[in-house]
Amino acid sequence: MTRTRPTDTKARIQAVARELFMQQGVQQTSLRQIADRLGITKPALYYHYDSREALVASMFQPLIDDMERHLAALEARAPGDPRVLLAEHF
């Protein structure tokens, strides 16, 4: 899987969303609030993310990708002792 880097606009959207999510919670933060904080229109925000859930997923996907790569590398080495695999995982 190839990781895509967010554009500057997407990175700005994610930064503002992260700030608002931490202040208010994900469910209490609307895309309108994010757009207003950025000084862009809601349709402009929808151009990059079609829902709040897609925005949240985009923020976690790099972490998931890194974890999958890490686990695949550990499994490829296939240590004989499961304790070694578990220790390397953490």
Side-chain angles (χ1 to χ4, degrees):
M1 181 180 292
T2 306
R3 181 193 302 188
T4 58
R5 299 211 182 267
T7 63
D8 287 343
T9 301
K10 284 187 174 186
R12 287 181 45 234
I13 292 168
Q14 289 176 350
V16 166
R18 191 171 19 261
E19 180 181 323
L20 289 172
F21 292 161
M22 289 184 349
Q23 291 173 357
Q24 305 174 167
V26 173
Q27 294 300 321
Q28 289 71 38
T29 302
S30 70
L31 291 180
R32 164 66 60 209
Q33 291 171 311
I34 296 168
D36 288 348
R37 177 77 60 96
L38 285 162
I40 63 174
T41 64
K42 193 172 172 186
L45 181 60
Y46 272 108
Y47 174 80
H48 297 284
Y49 298 104
D50 61 3
S51 67
R52 180 179 50 214
E53 291 75 20
L55 174 55
V56 171
S58 76
M59 295 165 76
F60 283 98
Q61 194 59 51
L63 297 171
I64 293 167
D65 292 345
D66 286 346
M67 178 68 79
E68 287 176 349
R69 276 192 298 281
H70 175 70
L71 292 174
L74 289 177
E75 289 172 1
R77 290 196 341 237
D81 186 350
R83 291 177 292 196
V84 172
L85 177 63
L86 189 59
E88 288 181 1
H89 173 66
F90 291 104

